[in-house]
Amino acid sequence: HSVSASNFLIGGQPDPPDGSMLLSDYANASPNYLETLRLPMLAGRRFTATDQELGERADAEPSAEGVCIVNQTFQRQFFRGENAIGQVLLDDSRKHACRIVGVVADYRATGAENAARPQIFRPNLRVRGASLLVRTTAPPETIAAGIRKAAYGLDRALTIDQVAPLDRWVDEWQAQRRFTTILLAVFAGLALLLALAGIYSVLSNVVASRVREIGIRVAIGAGPAEISRLVLRQSMIPVAAGMAAGLGASLALGRFIEALLFRVRAHDPVTLAAAALAILAVSPAAVYVPLRRALAVDCAVALREE
């Protein structure tokens, strides 16, 4: 299996304007490649051994027509609901043609963080280099020697650079992305902690500065419950305004985060709700401690200082 990108034309349709050629990924694959990946067929059929022979001849003889399979994104992008089965695809020189015999489900051949791209599968392995996929229930390290021996038996010029489980390749590929994700999560957590510490400090200071006012209210007959409701209500107004502004900014800037991370929605309700609940949990606690201290102040002391 090998992948490259190239321009193509659709038989029976006019050539696109200059500078807007149709582009798709081309994958040269053996007949059982799609089955090895367990990609479901959405329409048509899979490749056969005869298709491979036909594909090799079509590459060598421009007059011969090969077969190909396209993915779901290709069908949706270039045929817009029409049936792709039976359509003829040509290379940009119109020298080589293949007829679509199947439509297969999408998979992210260029990386998990990239969207699915149009792809054409051709049953032709006359390429300089390719990836060999082997599905086995045995430990991969126990079949490495057998794989190399089988390749050498087919062609002594064939060399296999490395045999490794697919999970290892995926882990290596994701290492940098995983590090970036962890780094973003750490900084996001620190930002939330700083925000909570700032809210706690500001609210505590605001309530502490009203100790004499609270003492005077107690002296003229206000009860602790009434004062608590008043202080809490007045303290939560700026918190609510800040939360509204923060949620608005998050909704506006969420598209940038969505572009940076794989499958992270711009407006994740769970994340937004967790941040809001954390702020709502810290704010009353920041008010409670200084308020309790203020209510314990002697009324006569408060009046005398005033």
Side-chain angles (χ1 to χ4, degrees):
H1 167 252
S2 64
V3 180
S4 61
S6 181
N7 298 119
F8 71 96
L9 300 169
I10 299 177
Q13 296 187 9
D15 292 352
D18 293 340
S20 59
M21 290 290 292
L22 304 179
L23 181 67
S24 174
D25 289 341
Y26 274 85
N28 292 318
S30 64
N32 57 355
Y33 172 73
L34 300 176
E35 186 177 359
T36 301
L37 284 181
R38 294 182 178 175
L39 289 179
M41 294 297 301
L42 304 180
R45 63 173 179 83
R46 298 185 184 274
F47 291 135
T48 64
T50 304
D51 292 333
Q52 184 171 349
E53 297 175 1
L54 185 62
E56 294 174 356
R57 187 168 68 251
D59 276 1
E61 304 173 9
S63 59
E65 182 182 270
V67 299
C68 56
I69 292 175
V70 299
N71 67 347
Q72 187 177 13
T73 296
F74 188 100
Q75 156 89 40
R76 183 169 53 248
Q77 182 170 332
F78 297 113
F79 292 101
R80 293 182 175 85
E82 299 178 15
N83 187 9
I85 304 298
Q87 299 284 351
V88 176
L89 304 180
L90 308 168
D91 64 357
D92 53 1
S93 65
R94 292 186 176 273
K95 293 182 178 180
H96 302 280
C98 68
R99 188 173 297 274
I100 300 175
V101 297
V103 179
V104 71
D106 290 335
Y107 80 106
R108 299 172 186 267
T110 58
E113 79 276 18
N114 297 320
R117 294 163 49 166
Q119 192 161 27
I120 302 171
F121 297 92
R122 300 184 300 180
N124 181 11
L125 281 181
R126 292 186 178 273
V127 292
R128 294 183 177 180
S131 299
L132 175 64
L133 299 182
V134 178
R135 182 175 292 278
T136 176
T137 56
E141 58 273 9
T142 63
I143 64 171
I147 292 175
R148 287 192 169 91
K149 184 178 180 179
Y152 186 77
L154 292 174
D155 188 340
R156 296 191 177 187
L158 289 177
T159 58
I160 296 181
D161 294 333
Q162 185 177 1
V163 178
L166 187 59
D167 290 343
R168 183 187 304 173
W169 293 108
V170 174
D171 288 341
E172 291 179 359
W173 176 81
Q174 290 181 336
Q176 181 61 40
R177 294 156 180 82
R178 187 180 296 112
F179 173 76
T180 303
T181 303
I182 294 174
L183 197 62
L184 286 174
V186 170
F187 279 112
L190 290 176
L192 180 60
L193 289 176
L194 289 174
L196 296 179
I199 292 173
Y200 188 94
S201 300
V202 170
L203 291 181
S204 297
N205 185 64
V206 168
V207 177
S209 65
R210 300 177 64 181
V211 170
R212 284 180 293 177
E213 174 196 345
I214 293 173
I216 293 173
R217 289 180 180 275
V218 172
I220 60 178
E226 181 182 355
I227 294 175
S228 298
R229 286 194 298 269
L230 174 65
V231 172
L232 184 61
R233 183 173 63 252
Q234 292 178 346
S235 300
M236 291 302 293
I237 290 176
V239 172
M243 286 181 58
L247 287 174
S250 175
L251 294 176
L253 298 175
R255 294 297 177 185
F256 295 98
I257 302 298
E258 188 178 37
L260 291 173
L261 298 176
F262 171 57
R263 289 188 177 179
V264 174
R265 292 181 294 174
H267 309 138
D268 185 6
V270 176
T271 302
L272 296 177
L277 288 175
I279 294 174
L280 291 176
V282 167
S283 300
V287 174
Y288 173 76
V289 176
L291 178 61
R292 184 176 181 182
R293 188 182 304 116
L295 291 174
V297 173
D298 190 348
C299 301
V301 173
L303 290 173
R304 186 162 53 249
E305 291 179 355
E306 187 65 21

